[in-house]
Amino acid sequence: MHKIAHKAFQLPVLESGLWFHNDIRDNFYYASYLYAAAEDKEIEVAFDREAAKDKAAKMMLEIFKLQDRNPSSPTFGHWPLHLDPIPKEAPKNTLPVELMGSLMVYFYKRYGTGFHDVLRGAFEQGLQYVYQSNFYRKRMEHYHHHEAKYTAAKLLFGQLFDDRELLEDGQQSLQDTLARLSQVGMSEYGCLPWFWHWVQAFTCAWELTEDSVIRTALTRMLDYLWDVRATYYLRGAWVGAHSRAWWHDLPKDQNVLMDYVQFGDFELPEEMPRTEFAGFLFYEAPQSARELALHRTEPVEIKCKVPRPAAEAGEPLHSYVYLTRDYAVGGIWERAEEFDNEQHRFSVTFPLLGDRSVNRAYFFLAAEMNAPEDLRHQSGFTEVLYYQNCAAALFTAPATYRGQVVGCLPKGDWLEAAGSLYGSYGNIFLAVHIEQPFKREEHEDRWTLTTSGAGNAVVMECIDKAVAEGLGITELTSFMAKMEQRKPVFHLSRSKDAGSEWSVEYISLRGNRLELKEPNENFSKALINGIQPDYSRYFYHGIDFL
């Protein structure tokens, strides 16, 4: 709260009276932090408290001026999202009120007694409009992040305006969601923007609810959410596949404020792109979840079925992660068309090491319309194989495909050999083998790799430096020498004629034989020591401890 408040106090006010035009919610979040820090005498500040409260109050009043106050409007009670070029002319959007509306209730209940009359009146009127907008009156259908926020809003506004029917609707929606999660889990896997909206919305409701039965159900919900987070946690990073990834999730975990408040076992980056009330809302995770996240001693394999969204038919996806104290390898076996084509298939993931570098190594076949600087949007033509400390991928697009295979690696120290790169990053050595010639480009916080053409194959293998020492590997040069003796065997046919075979074979440092082939009727696509991956051991919940 201290860091954001000081930044807010120093922000220049634009001609519109706001700080930000990219997202109206940022104005409310930063104003909230500034007001709260000025109000809390236990927080040491370097600014005049009354001046800060006045500045924050003016910002909030400007925000309320942009709310749709016309009861006959289809966007009554809503705000615009993006404000350029003229905020008062920006079209209203349904997104800001979903989360900001509930957080406004929280802020009003916690600090409202200290508001001056004009600000208190603006909050009371604005929240009345939100309540009357009925944006949250939706039946449960998808069990996704939107409905999680609707459920929390039903509970909050039902209590605030003594609407018993709405409160009971929220309670039933909460119970229905808990039943869905306990039976099959979350469809929005590894999904940082959306997952934190679940946490924020239900923590907000948990903080304010006066009904003991509802509070108990909210406790169950938050215990579940933090258990999910702890399962895929690695010192500030979220390991494994993502059903969606924004620029602050890939190639570096930057949406970390909730993690920092909960676990605090990594260096907080200077850049904080998502400030959504992490300094206000805190629910302590169960001790078992904290132990799982903070005190890993042995590697684990996390094999999880991921249900399709409730409103969609189809078989579940299968997520695999091999997680150790210092790295993780894994992803999702199946390609799925997720929202905005932001499915992230696989990574080698490292803990956050401050602002110096990205913390992921991965490759993908870029979608044809993907911007070169965007390391997220992927095409379909990819087969994958994960096993313990190794990952392999075949990129099998036709010759006419216009996308490129793109790679991203953390800074570290790297040595290059024919078709391979060998890196040292943190406590890990990483080998990267690439079938096609590549071009490597250095950036401030990463290396990016590109290859000509869409057909390619990649194998990556990690090893902990302490384990490597037992194999006589004491430095990057000896690691390179060891790995040069065991390069993968690639078979890629550029013609893609009928019956042609695209495959990669690799024997890992642990002696595991990995084979990946483009699937057809003659052979299976993935073999681990001659055996196909066993999906029968994937469950909707559960961890295999090796």
Side-chain angles (χ1 to χ4, degrees):
M1 183 176 292
H2 176 274
K3 294 181 69 171
I4 298 174
H6 277 80
K7 182 176 180 180
F9 189 76
Q10 296 167 0
L11 285 171
V13 177
L14 304 176
E15 187 176 343
S16 63
L18 300 164
W19 287 318
F20 307 101
H21 279 189
N22 59 311
D23 190 323
I24 191 173
R25 293 171 294 187
D26 288 333
N27 294 284
F28 174 66
Y29 300 148
Y30 273 75
S32 300
Y33 279 94
L34 181 58
Y35 190 97
E39 184 80 358
D40 190 341
K41 299 300 191 294
E42 294 185 3
I43 297 178
E44 185 177 344
V45 298
F47 49 68
D48 181 87
R49 292 183 184 274
E50 291 304 314
K53 288 170 63 174
D54 183 63
K55 188 173 185 177
K58 288 179 179 177
M59 186 61 57
M60 291 182 181
L61 290 174
E62 291 296 331
I63 294 166
F64 279 112
K65 289 179 183 178
L66 297 176
Q67 188 182 26
D68 189 340
R69 308 175 188 180
N70 180 3
S72 62
S73 169
T75 56
F76 173 55
H78 290 286
W79 281 269
L81 178 61
H82 303 296
L83 306 177
D84 272 338
I86 304 174
K88 65 182 179 181
E89 297 178 2
K92 302 300 186 286
N93 190 293
T94 57
L95 288 178
V97 77
E98 275 191 20
L99 188 60
M100 190 170 73
S102 294
L103 299 181
M104 283 179 163
V105 174
Y106 173 86
F107 194 78
Y108 170 72
K109 295 290 287 185
R110 180 166 175 178
Y111 296 99
T113 56
F115 291 169
H116 58 62
D117 291 344
V118 176
L119 183 60
R120 187 182 303 108
F123 264 88
E124 291 173 352
Q125 185 178 62
L127 292 174
Q128 179 80 36
Y129 292 157
V130 172
Y131 168 63
Q132 293 172 343
S133 75
N134 295 320
F135 80 91
Y136 42 75
R137 293 186 188 272
K138 308 280 179 66
R139 67 182 182 89
M140 302 301 294
E141 182 179 7
H142 303 281
Y143 296 92
H144 56 21
H145 64 290
H146 293 292
E147 290 174 2
K149 290 181 283 186
Y150 300 153
T151 297
K154 291 174 185 177
L155 298 173
L156 287 163
F157 286 96
Q159 179 175 279
L160 182 64
F161 291 98
D162 197 23
D163 186 332
R164 191 65 204 175
E165 182 180 354
L166 179 59
L167 190 63
E168 290 174 356
D169 184 9
Q171 185 174 6
Q172 185 61 54
S173 297
L174 177 60
Q175 293 294 345
D176 291 344
T177 305
L178 281 167
R180 164 81 180 176
L181 296 180
S182 65
Q183 292 165 14
V184 298
M186 298 183 73
S187 300
E188 295 172 322
Y189 55 93
C191 195
L192 291 177
W194 294 343
F195 181 85
W196 291 131
H197 288 183
W198 284 72
V199 172
Q200 290 157 339
F202 287 122
T203 305
C204 189
W206 180 85
E207 290 266 16
L208 296 182
T209 188
E210 298 168 0
D211 186 300
S212 61
V213 174
I214 295 175
R215 189 178 176 88
T216 297
L218 287 167
T219 298
R220 286 182 56 209
M221 172 65 73
L222 290 166
D223 284 353
Y224 170 86
L225 292 172
W226 280 109
D227 182 67
V228 170
R229 180 65 191 106
T231 299
Y232 295 94
Y233 181 79
L234 179 61
R235 299 208 296 279
W238 190 308
V239 305
H242 296 349
S243 59
R244 189 179 186 191
W246 273 27
W247 62 268
H248 42 62
D249 306 318
L250 285 177
K252 179 182 179 181
D253 288 279
Q254 297 180 81
N255 189 1
V256 297
L257 294 186
M258 288 270 185
D259 282 333
Y260 188 75
V261 172
Q262 185 71 246
F263 302 120
D265 63 338
F266 59 92
E267 182 180 337
L268 184 65
E270 285 298 319
E271 188 68 23
M272 293 179 283
R274 308 290 287 193
T275 62
E276 296 168 339
F277 267 49
F280 295 97
L281 301 172
F282 178 70
Y283 174 88
E284 185 171 0
Q287 185 61 31
S288 59
R290 293 179 59 80
E291 286 291 324
L292 183 64
L294 296 173
H295 302 294
R296 299 188 188 279
T297 56
E298 300 296 330
V300 295
E301 281 185 311
I302 307 167
K303 300 176 180 180
C304 184
K305 283 185 180 180
V306 178
R308 298 283 184 172
E312 297 180 13
E315 294 297 312
L317 306 178
H318 297 84
S319 169
Y320 174 91
V321 177
Y322 178 75
L323 178 56
T324 76
R325 293 181 61 183
D326 290 301
Y327 70 91
V329 180
I332 202 90
W333 285 99
E334 298 89 354
R335 163 70 174 171
E337 288 292 337
E338 307 286 3
F339 180 84
D340 223 12
N341 187 24
E342 291 180 353
Q343 186 195 41
H344 176 63
R345 292 290 293 280
F346 71 97
S347 288
V348 176
T349 305
F350 305 99
L352 283 181
L353 299 179
D355 293 311
R356 298 178 293 279
S357 174
V358 303
N359 64 308
R360 296 183 189 276
Y362 62 98
F363 288 78
F364 67 101
L365 178 57
E368 290 184 293
M369 302 306 292
N370 188 69
E373 68 277 4
D374 194 335
L375 300 177
R376 298 178 299 147
H377 303 287
Q378 308 185 20
S379 72
F381 309 98
T382 304
E383 302 297 340
V384 293
L385 171 58
Y386 322 113
Y387 186 62
Q388 295 186 0
N389 63 327
C390 296
L394 275 175
F395 305 106
T396 60
T400 55
Y401 189 80
R402 292 178 294 171
Q404 287 185 307
V405 173
V406 179
C408 176
L409 300 173
K411 287 303 283 276
D413 297 318
W414 291 93
L415 298 176
E416 186 172 338
S420 300
L421 287 162
Y422 303 99
S424 171
Y425 183 77
N427 295 325
I428 299 302
F429 289 125
L430 173 64
V432 181
H433 306 288
I434 309 167
E435 193 270 348
Q436 281 287 290
F438 57 86
K439 181 174 69 174
R440 184 161 57 116
E441 183 177 354
E442 185 175 11
H443 301 270
E444 183 179 357
D445 63 347
R446 75 197 73 172
W447 290 91
T448 57
L449 288 78
T450 54
T451 65
S452 59
N456 209 335
V458 172
V459 173
M460 296 191 289
E461 181 171 10
C462 272
I463 185 170
D464 185 284
K465 289 179 179 177
V467 176
E469 190 171 352
L471 299 174
I473 300 171
T474 57
E475 55 189 16
L476 185 55
T477 53
S478 57
F479 175 67
M480 176 177 173
K482 184 82 169 179
M483 301 305 286
E484 278 285 286
Q485 300 172 17
R486 54 192 326 108
K487 288 198 172 188
V489 177
F490 296 111
H491 298 285
L492 270 71
S493 169
R494 293 293 177 271
S495 66
K496 292 299 295 293
D497 294 331
S500 64
E501 179 179 314
W502 289 39
S503 67
V504 57
E505 299 177 18
Y506 182 67
I507 299 177
S508 74
L509 277 170
R510 299 177 176 182
N512 294 308
R513 185 179 186 87
L514 309 181
E515 300 173 69
L516 178 62
K517 302 178 181 182
E518 182 186 16
N520 63 32
E521 62 184 7
N522 296 320
F523 45 73
S524 302
K525 72 175 183 178
L527 295 173
I528 302 168
N529 296 323
I531 302 173
Q532 298 179 42
D534 184 4
Y535 289 159
S536 68
R537 293 194 62 202
Y538 285 58
F539 305 97
Y540 283 119
H541 303 284
I543 301 174
D544 286 345
F545 290 88
L546 300 182

